[in-house]
Amino acid sequence: MLKLDIQRFAVPFRRTSKTKKRMRRTHLKKEVGATVTCSKCGATLRPHRACTKCGNYKNKEVIKTTEEK
């Protein structure tokens, strides 16, 4: 008898459907970042950052801004 040195790999019996593939990847979706509102002007911004509209951070003026009329 002749013995061949052949490696066998696992082959899926059936093709994975689109639905199964998408169900497996549902946790990989992107999330919307958190936003807060400025206590002074009400603009939305990322947390722990100075407001770009009025220049305030924790009710203190940190950035000087010029108001256009």
Side-chain angles (χ1 to χ4, degrees), residues 15 22 29 31 35 40:
R15 180 180 166 192
R22 290 173 184 161
K29 61 186 174 211
E31 296 177 0
T35 58
K40 199 91 168 192

Side-chain angles (χ1 to χ4, degrees), residues 32-51:
V32 177
T35 58
V36 294
T37 57
C38 178
S39 59
K40 199 91 168 192
C41 66
T44 59
L45 58 135
R46 300 287 308 271
H48 306 288
R49 286 167 176 79
C51 181

Side-chain angles (χ1 to χ4, degrees), residues 2-67:
L2 186 64
K3 193 167 192 176
L4 298 175
D5 188 25
I6 299 173
Q7 292 180 347
R8 294 191 178 172
F9 297 99
V11 179
F13 185 69
R14 287 201 168 92
R15 180 180 166 192
T16 306
S17 67
K18 292 176 187 175
T19 306
K20 277 290 187 186
K21 182 170 45 175
R22 290 173 184 161
M23 284 170 61
R24 185 176 66 240
R25 295 177 181 171
T26 55
H27 66 282
L28 298 176
K29 61 186 174 211
K30 292 188 175 185
E31 296 177 0
V32 177
T35 58
V36 294
T37 57
C38 178
S39 59
K40 199 91 168 192
C41 66
T44 59
L45 58 135
R46 300 287 308 271
H48 306 288
R49 286 167 176 79
C51 181
T52 55
K53 305 279 186 195
C54 62
N56 288 324
Y57 179 70
K58 291 190 177 179
N59 295 325
K60 295 176 187 169
E61 188 174 355
V62 182
I63 303 169
K64 300 225 183 238
T65 57
T66 57
E67 294 182 21

